[in-house]
Amino acid sequence: MVVPPGRPELGAGVIRDVVEGRTSLEGMGDRGRAWVEQEADRDVAFARYRTSWALGSMTEYPIWLICGFLVPISLLPDWVHPISWALAPTWGMRAIRESATGGTPLPDIAMCLLLGGIYVAIGVVVTETVLRAARRSASLSLT
């Protein structure tokens, strides 16, 4: 069910029709599937997925290096240390090492969770800002 913005009564009407038996869920699903098959462009979806996957793969190895997965951070140049401290996997790796040596991993796990929460907050703010700007300028496009 797709409801245009500012028209919640249309969604309520569809729900009422389903509850009262005037619309079947199976028919609704069939119409939705037909619309997706007609309107959705699979090539665009696949192209976007490939692009995002490539970007993720491109940044994965440097993050492993900077976070101390491959070599200890102490062997990296001094200017890399603050970058590694801002990445949650660094603290996760420290927690694993601390556990393996019999220490307590709790401070490192707490730092990992704190950074993860900060990442989520930044992600929400950026996503909302971009979506608001795109809606304002009507610039969302699938191509």
Side-chain angles (χ1 to χ4, degrees):
M1 172 173 66
V2 178
V3 179
R7 301 288 311 272
E9 71 279 1
L10 295 176
V14 170
I15 293 169
R16 189 173 36 254
D17 289 347
V18 169
V19 170
E20 294 173 358
R22 292 187 296 236
T23 300
S24 78
L25 291 176
E26 186 177 328
M28 216 165 126
D30 291 342
R31 287 190 302 277
R33 190 173 302 106
W35 182 87
V36 168
E37 289 173 354
Q38 179 183 358
E39 300 295 327
D41 187 350
R42 288 188 180 134
D43 292 335
V44 171
F46 288 138
R48 286 191 174 185
Y49 175 75
R50 279 194 308 268
T51 304
S52 64
W53 179 81
L55 179 63
S57 294
M58 184 176 68
T59 59
E60 188 174 353
Y61 184 75
I63 288 176
W64 287 356
L65 183 63
I66 292 171
C67 291
F69 283 43
L70 305 174
V71 296
I73 295 172
S74 60
L75 296 179
L76 299 174
D78 289 338
W79 62 268
V80 175
H81 296 184
I83 297 169
S84 70
W85 298 331
L87 297 171
T90 299
W91 300 97
M93 194 67 206
R94 284 180 56 154
I96 291 170
R97 284 192 183 117
E98 194 67 29
S99 295
T101 59
T104 177
L106 295 180
D108 297 319
I109 291 172
M111 188 62 168
C112 197
L113 291 173
L114 173 70
L115 285 171
I118 291 170
Y119 299 161
V120 168
I122 291 170
V124 167
V125 169
V126 169
T127 300
E128 288 298 319
T129 303
V130 169
L131 282 176
R132 198 174 311 113
R135 287 180 182 137
R136 194 175 318 115
S137 65
S139 63
L140 287 177
S141 173
L142 293 177
T143 57

